């Protein structure tokens, strides 16, 4: 029996069960639906298994239970359930994939091939060809592998996936020269794959005795990935001939895991997109057996779905001698800070500073965390160190404008306006069309009642670049207000409210503009409305004063 949809209506399901069990089953259904809505995959799996245990042998609940078991990393029960589903002659892409991955992980390759044939119509053609290609390679059949990968060259992707996998296959069978030949032919297209391709390419070059070229290639790549700490560390290791034997593709299973990540963004609109992503990332992580690349992907997917604890546990398993260690700690500190554990995040970064080579990326994130928690004095110190390190780096300073911008913000919050303006102007000199910098400097000049025409010009330029930003449009309206051009300020002010209807500052500004054009009753209403949007204590006092006496 083939699954026609992932979900059936609750009304139909409840109509098929006995009255005695209705409350328990309906409770499990509703609980599963709620758990799914908050991405609690473990609970969702438990509730769907409860439904099955009540005797509701519906294919949709089987499939949901399987998806959630895998997404929660419970492969023991996932494999057990997949066997039961297969015995019941159920069919779904998820079931086929889980069964195949289990067999590959056990090196039961003939059985995995039989399952691929069985589920051939359920799985995407690109996934089928990839699986067959890597299994052929595991069986020592390079030619068969290349035939399957060649089928991927006609995929809808905007690079030749077949050529990419062929280069990996050649490297795995110690034919590095053939791998390099493919890379040289397809390098510009392969760059879309990002830093993981750059790491693979450097490995191929080193295996071909081209350490100097690998070093030069990485330096060139860092112009595009200027803030990537892993590529920088790899660059330095090759430079001093201390390249650890790091293989981003250690075996065929890593190749299969790479294919799974291609599908991690999901294809179905019928189910939770986060579930799809975590499902594929879990499979990739399970099959790759401790490849840190897949740990990073899974940890990120889990954190984005609200599974911070599980994400943290995975990141902590990446060892200090791994090339992804520093990056994993930066990601971990960022996630920890997002989840309101400021001190722990800062301690992780301070430990990195002690034990790893100093880098601007560590200090930048430290500054961001301090700034987020309004510790602006510490933030500007961290940004200053980041700026110093980047200025004295051998790499292009593509990120320097951002550090000046962030330090300028911290200095402005410390009321060190002159130094703040200096940093913001340095940032703008490097990125003259950056709307956030244009807006921040322009707004600050307006607040200081300084160079108002210049400030207004900056903000108009920012609005032109980002016409959907309510905050920037508010800055434009506020600049017109400060210049006494109240009637002109009405239209952009109302547009800003449309885009940011619950922002207290934007609402307060609209009240001020309305007052100045004589619409005082509307101004009072707007100020009262502003109090509903949790203004800062300072702004609240100002509004209460205006409600009492109005504006001059």
């Amino acid at each position: 029996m083939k699954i026609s949809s992932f979900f059936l209506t609750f009304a139909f399901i409840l109509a098929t069960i006995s009255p005695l069990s209705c409350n328990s089953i309906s409770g499990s259904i509703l609980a599963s639906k709620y758990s799914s809505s908050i991405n609690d995959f473990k609970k969702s799996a438990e509730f769907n298994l409860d439904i099955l245990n009540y005797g509701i042998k519906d294919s949709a609940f089987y499939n949901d239970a399987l998806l959630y078991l895998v997404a929660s990393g419970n492969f023991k029960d996932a494999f057990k359930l997949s066997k039961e589903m297969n015995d019941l002659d159920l069919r779904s892409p998820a079931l086929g994939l889980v069964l195949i991955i289990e067999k590959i992980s056990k090196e039961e390759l003939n059985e995995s091939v039989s399952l691929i044939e069985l589920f051939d119509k359920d799985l995407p053609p690109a996934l089928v060809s990839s699986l067959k290609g890597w299994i052929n390679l595991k069986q020592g059949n390079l030619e068969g592998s290349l035939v399957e990968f060649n089928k991927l060259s006609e995929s809808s992707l905007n690079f030749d996936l077949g050529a990419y996998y062929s280069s990996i296959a050649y490297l795995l069978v110690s034919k590095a020269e053939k791998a390099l030949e493919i890379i040289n032919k397809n390098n510009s297209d392969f760059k879309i794959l990002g830093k993981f391709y750059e790491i693979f390419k450097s490995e191929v070059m080193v295996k071909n005795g081209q350490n100097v070229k690998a070093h030069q290639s990485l330096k060139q790549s860092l112009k595009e990935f200027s803030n990537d700490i892993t590529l920088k560390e790899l660059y330095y290791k090759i430079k001093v001939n201390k390249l650890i034997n790091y293989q981003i593709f250690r075996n065929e299973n890593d190749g299969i895991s790479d294919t799974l990540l291609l599908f991690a963004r999901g294809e179905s609109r019928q189910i939770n997109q986060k579930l799809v992503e975590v499902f594929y990332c879990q499979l990739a992580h399970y099959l790759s057996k401790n490849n840190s690349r897949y740990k990073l992907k899974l940890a990120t997917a889990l954190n984005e779905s609200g599974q911070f604890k599980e994400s943290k546990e995975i990141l902590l398993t990446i060892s200090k001698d791994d090339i992804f260690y520093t990056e994993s700690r930066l990601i971990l500190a960022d996630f920890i800070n997002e989840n309101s554990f400021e001190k722990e995040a800062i301690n992780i970064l301070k430990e990195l500073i002690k034990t790893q080579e100093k880098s601007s990326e560590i200090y930048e994130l430290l500054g961001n965390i301090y700034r987020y928690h309004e510790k602006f004095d510490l933030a500007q110190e961290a940004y200053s160190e980041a700026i110093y390190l980047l200025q004295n780096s051998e790499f292009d300073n593509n990120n320097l404008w951002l550090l000046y911008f962030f330090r300028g913000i911290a200095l402005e919050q410390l009321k060190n306006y002159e130094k703040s303006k200096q940093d913001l102007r340095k940032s703008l000199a490097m990125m003259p069309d950056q709307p956030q910098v244009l807006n921040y400097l322009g707004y600050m000049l307006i607040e200081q009642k300084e160079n108002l025409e210049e400030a207004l010009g900056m903000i108009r330029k920012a609005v032109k670049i980002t016409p959907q930003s309510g905050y920037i449009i508010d800055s434009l309206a506020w600049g017109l207000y400060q210049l006494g051009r109240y009637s002109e300020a009405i239209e952009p002010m109302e547009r800003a409210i449309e885009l940011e209807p619950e922002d207290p500052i934007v609402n307060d500004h609209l009240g001020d503009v309305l007052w100045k054009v004589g619409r005082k009753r509307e101004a009072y209403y707007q100020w009262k409305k502003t109090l509903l949007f949790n203004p800062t204590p300072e702004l609240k006092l100002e509004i209460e004063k205006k409600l009492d006496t109005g504006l001059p």
Side-chain angles (χ1 to χ4, degrees):
M1 177 174 66
K2 188 170 182 177
I3 294 177
S4 57
S5 65
F6 284 103
F7 298 105
L8 299 176
T9 62
F10 291 151
F12 173 79
I13 294 165
L14 293 176
T16 65
I17 58 181
S18 67
L20 290 175
S21 60
C22 183
N23 289 337
S24 298
I25 296 174
S26 61
S28 293
I29 292 171
L30 293 173
S32 173
K33 186 177 181 183
Y34 172 74
S35 298
S36 175
S37 71
I38 61 172
N39 296 319
D40 189 338
F41 305 132
K42 183 177 179 181
K43 285 292 184 184
S44 295
E46 291 174 3
F47 289 127
N48 275 278
L49 290 174
D50 284 344
I51 294 166
L52 296 177
N53 289 333
Y54 284 126
I56 306 300
K57 302 301 184 182
D58 186 88
S59 57
F61 289 127
Y62 270 107
N63 200 66
D64 286 352
L66 183 63
L67 288 167
Y68 291 125
L69 284 169
V70 172
S72 62
N74 184 351
F75 282 94
K76 179 181 178 181
D77 288 339
F79 292 148
K80 180 181 177 182
L81 183 64
S82 67
K83 183 179 184 305
E84 181 181 343
M85 291 172 70
N86 197 40
D87 291 342
L88 291 170
D89 196 30
L90 301 179
R91 289 288 180 275
S92 78
L95 173 60
L97 196 51
V98 171
L99 288 169
I100 292 164
I101 294 301
E102 180 187 17
K103 293 300 181 184
I104 293 173
S105 70
K106 293 179 177 179
E107 296 296 320
E108 297 175 3
L109 302 181
N110 291 331
E111 291 86 343
S112 67
V113 171
S114 297
L115 286 167
I116 292 171
E117 296 297 334
L118 181 63
F119 287 89
D120 179 79
K121 302 301 181 185
D122 300 283
L123 298 171
L127 183 55
V128 170
S129 294
S130 176
L131 289 168
K132 287 182 176 179
W134 292 118
I135 290 171
N136 268 306
L137 197 64
K138 287 173 79 73
Q139 293 174 323
N141 184 1
L142 175 62
E143 291 306 314
S145 167
L146 297 176
V147 168
E148 292 296 337
F149 291 152
N150 188 54
K151 296 175 184 178
L152 299 173
S153 298
E154 300 175 3
S155 68
S156 59
L157 298 170
N158 47 3
F159 71 99
D160 190 339
L161 180 62
Y164 180 53
Y165 283 172
S166 294
S167 67
I168 298 167
Y170 277 124
L171 187 65
L172 290 177
V173 297
S174 301
K175 294 187 176 183
E177 70 286 351
K178 293 289 291 183
L180 185 59
E181 182 181 320
I182 294 173
I183 285 173
N184 289 336
K185 183 179 178 181
N186 296 274
N187 184 56
S188 58
D189 290 337
F190 286 172
K191 280 186 173 295
I192 196 172
L193 293 163
K195 75 175 181 186
F196 297 111
Y197 163 67
E198 301 297 337
I199 296 172
F200 170 66
K201 180 173 68 172
S202 68
E203 179 192 350
V204 173
M205 287 180 166
V206 170
K207 288 286 176 67
N208 278 278
Q210 298 183 2
N211 289 47
V212 174
K213 282 189 176 181
H215 184 245
Q216 293 171 344
S217 176
L218 276 173
K219 188 168 187 178
Q220 183 66 28
S221 299
L222 280 162
K223 291 181 179 179
E224 300 173 48
F225 305 97
S226 59
N227 209 32
D228 193 288
I229 197 164
T230 299
L231 286 182
K232 286 183 178 178
E233 291 190 355
L234 182 60
Y235 170 86
Y236 287 125
K237 288 181 184 297
I238 293 176
K239 182 179 181 180
V240 297
N241 292 317
K242 288 185 178 180
L243 176 64
I244 53 177
N245 187 27
Y246 190 84
Q247 296 173 289
I248 200 160
F249 292 100
R250 304 163 305 175
N251 51 46
E252 296 85 357
N253 285 5
D254 286 343
I256 296 171
S257 293
D258 183 82
T259 306
L260 293 171
L261 290 188
L262 292 177
F263 291 89
R265 290 296 173 184
E267 296 180 322
S268 174
R269 297 179 181 178
Q270 296 176 319
I271 56 177
N272 184 339
Q273 180 56 47
K274 293 298 181 186
L275 171 61
V276 172
E277 185 172 2
V278 174
F279 172 82
Y280 278 107
C281 286
Q282 285 280 19
L283 286 173
H285 174 245
Y286 175 82
L287 190 61
S288 70
K289 301 187 189 304
N290 294 317
N291 186 321
S292 295
R293 174 193 176 191
Y294 303 109
K295 288 182 180 181
L296 292 178
K297 289 289 188 179
L298 175 58
T300 300
L302 285 169
N303 188 68
E304 288 176 354
S305 66
Q307 307 296 305
F308 163 66
K309 180 181 176 182
E310 293 80 0
S311 173
K312 179 181 178 182
E313 288 174 355
I314 290 169
L315 289 170
L316 286 172
T317 65
I318 298 178
S319 62
K320 285 188 176 182
D321 60 352
D322 195 292
I323 197 169
F324 288 107
Y325 174 75
T326 303
E327 180 179 351
S328 72
R329 286 304 183 268
L330 291 179
I331 293 171
L332 179 60
D334 194 25
F335 290 171
I336 287 172
N337 182 60
E338 285 177 2
N339 287 274
S340 303
F341 299 101
E342 174 197 357
K343 289 183 179 179
E344 186 180 354
I346 289 171
N347 287 339
I348 288 172
L349 296 177
K350 286 184 174 180
E351 183 64 22
L352 275 181
I353 290 169
K354 287 180 184 177
T355 60
Q356 306 297 112
E357 187 170 335
K358 286 187 177 182
S359 73
S360 61
E361 290 80 14
I362 299 173
Y363 282 99
E364 179 184 345
L365 181 55
L366 184 60
N368 289 345
I369 293 173
Y370 281 136
R371 180 166 56 88
Y372 178 82
H373 294 284
E374 299 185 353
K375 296 180 179 179
F376 299 111
D377 53 340
L378 295 173
Q380 70 89 17
E381 289 177 7
Y383 290 136
S384 295
E385 185 66 24
I387 288 169
Y388 171 80
L389 289 169
L390 199 54
Q391 285 177 329
N392 290 276
S393 166
E394 61 181 291
F395 304 110
D396 291 341
N397 297 330
N398 296 337
N399 206 43
L400 195 56
W401 73 270
L402 188 61
L403 293 172
Y404 278 123
F405 178 41
F406 287 161
R407 190 172 72 173
I409 293 172
L411 289 166
E412 188 264 343
Q413 292 294 319
L414 291 168
K415 303 189 186 306
N416 192 339
Y417 299 117
E418 289 306 312
K419 286 189 175 181
S420 173
K421 284 182 283 188
Q422 289 174 16
D423 272 0
L424 293 173
R425 289 191 183 279
K426 286 179 182 177
S427 178
L428 204 57
M430 298 174 188
M431 294 287 284
D433 295 325
Q434 218 297 322
Q436 299 300 327
V437 183
L438 285 164
N439 179 62
Y440 201 95
L441 178 56
Y443 190 86
M444 186 170 76
L445 291 172
I446 287 168
E447 288 287 290
Q448 296 292 307
K449 295 182 171 58
E450 179 183 333
N451 300 340
L452 292 179
E453 289 294 344
E454 179 196 18
L456 202 60
M458 290 179 181
I459 296 171
R460 285 191 190 280
K461 184 177 181 180
V463 169
K464 188 175 180 180
I465 297 168
T466 53
Q468 296 301 311
S469 172
Y471 298 112
I472 293 178
I473 295 172
D474 169 70
S475 297
L476 174 60
W478 197 238
L480 292 167
Y481 176 93
Q482 295 287 5
L483 288 168
R485 293 153 63 175
Y486 307 124
S487 296
E488 288 181 61
I490 284 288
E491 189 275 329
M493 199 71 256
E494 289 178 339
R495 174 62 178 153
I497 282 289
E498 288 178 12
L499 294 167
E500 301 295 342
E502 297 183 2
D503 184 270
I505 294 175
V506 176
N507 277 274
D508 177 53
H509 284 173
L510 177 57
D512 290 4
V513 173
L514 289 169
W515 178 276
K516 288 296 185 178
V517 296
R519 293 160 61 177
K520 295 185 178 181
R521 182 175 296 178
E522 292 176 73
Y524 277 121
Y525 168 79
Q526 199 63 42
W527 288 328
K528 287 180 181 178
K529 184 180 173 184
T530 303
L531 294 175
L532 300 174
F533 300 132
N534 298 316
T536 63
E538 296 81 6
L539 181 57
K540 184 179 178 182
L541 285 174
E542 289 179 19
I543 292 169
E544 289 172 345
K545 182 178 179 181
K546 285 186 281 192
L547 287 170
D548 186 39
T549 62
L551 287 173

